[in-house]
Every structure is written in structure tokens, then in C-alpha cells.
Amino acid sequence: TDEEEEEEIPEIDEMDEKAVIKTEPEHKLKYSYDVDLSETFEGISHLPAARHPSSLILEIILPGAESVRNAILNISEKNVFFDNKEGYKLDLDLNYTINKSGCKAKFDKS
């Protein structure tokens, strides 16, 4: 006789009960491009569409966050990862390769 194996369902321990469900925070990614004054006269529509931006600004909106002291922020050449204890997690792949050494982070309570 063939017996089907039953899949064991793990019990929820105390740590799992306290686990916070993470949500992706609202965020805005802004690109800036260097534009030569002559380009404004010629029209910037002739510029290549695949032009690399000169800077990127990522704004992560964290309602109710008083601090980011315990937050994790990892920036790689093609990804930004943010996680905090207040239930927010962002794992954002970037369309452009960035220079990690030129990156800055700032917390603004306003």
C-alpha cells in the first residue's frame, strides 16, 4: 500500500507572533540631468533617450516615524534597500548604475 506523506505545519512560536508585517512605503524617485544652455535653444527632444541622469533623489515617506536610528539602509550600484522596525521595507531596483561613494542620506521630520 502506498501511503501519502503528510506535510507538517510548523507551530507558531512566540517570536513569530511578534513579527511585524512589512509594507512598502510611499516613495518618489527624482532624476536630474545636466543641460547645456545651447540645448534649450535647439530643443532637448534631440537628446538620446538613454542619457544617464547626473543625480537621483529618492524620497521615502514614513508616516509616524520619529527616527531612523534603527533603520537599515543599503545602497548598491543598482539597488536601494531600506528596512525599519516600524513596519516599512523598500527593495528598489534602479534603472541606472549609481556611484555609491557619492550617495548621502538625510532624515527630515517635516
Side-chain angles (χ1 to χ4, degrees), residues 5 8 27 57 63 65 84 87 100-101:
E5 286 186 33
E8 258 187 62
H27 59 280
I57 298 174
N84 77 348
K100 294 186 329 181
S101 64

Side-chain angles (χ1 to χ4, degrees), residues 9-21:
I9 299 172
E11 293 182 26
I12 298 174
D13 63 20
E14 206 172 295
M15 289 292 279
D16 290 337
E17 289 176 9
K18 294 179 182 178
V20 175
I21 297 172

Side-chain angles (χ1 to χ4, degrees), residues 15-105:
M15 289 292 279
D16 290 337
E17 289 176 9
K18 294 179 182 178
V20 175
I21 297 172
K22 303 283 182 161
T23 58
E24 184 175 282
E26 180 184 344
H27 59 280
K28 298 174 187 175
L29 185 58
K30 302 171 188 175
Y31 300 94
S32 294
Y33 296 89
D34 291 329
V35 178
D36 187 282
L37 187 58
S38 65
E39 294 170 342
T40 60
F41 294 113
E42 297 170 11
I44 54 175
S45 61
H46 74 282
L47 297 174
R51 194 166 127 174
H52 199 283
S54 56
S55 68
L56 300 172
I57 298 174
L58 175 60
E59 180 181 352
I60 304 172
I61 295 98
L62 305 169
E66 293 295 320
S67 170
V68 289
R69 183 177 316 165
N70 295 317
I72 297 169
L73 177 64
N74 289 323
I75 301 170
S76 67
E77 291 180 338
K78 295 283 286 179
N79 181 274
V80 176
F81 178 82
F82 174 84
D83 193 356
N84 77 348
K85 290 185 176 184
E86 293 169 347
Y88 294 108
K89 179 180 176 182
L90 178 65
D91 191 2
L92 182 65
D93 290 327
L94 303 171
N95 294 331
Y96 301 97
T97 302
I98 61 171
N99 176 0
K100 294 186 329 181
S101 64
C103 295
K104 301 177 202 172

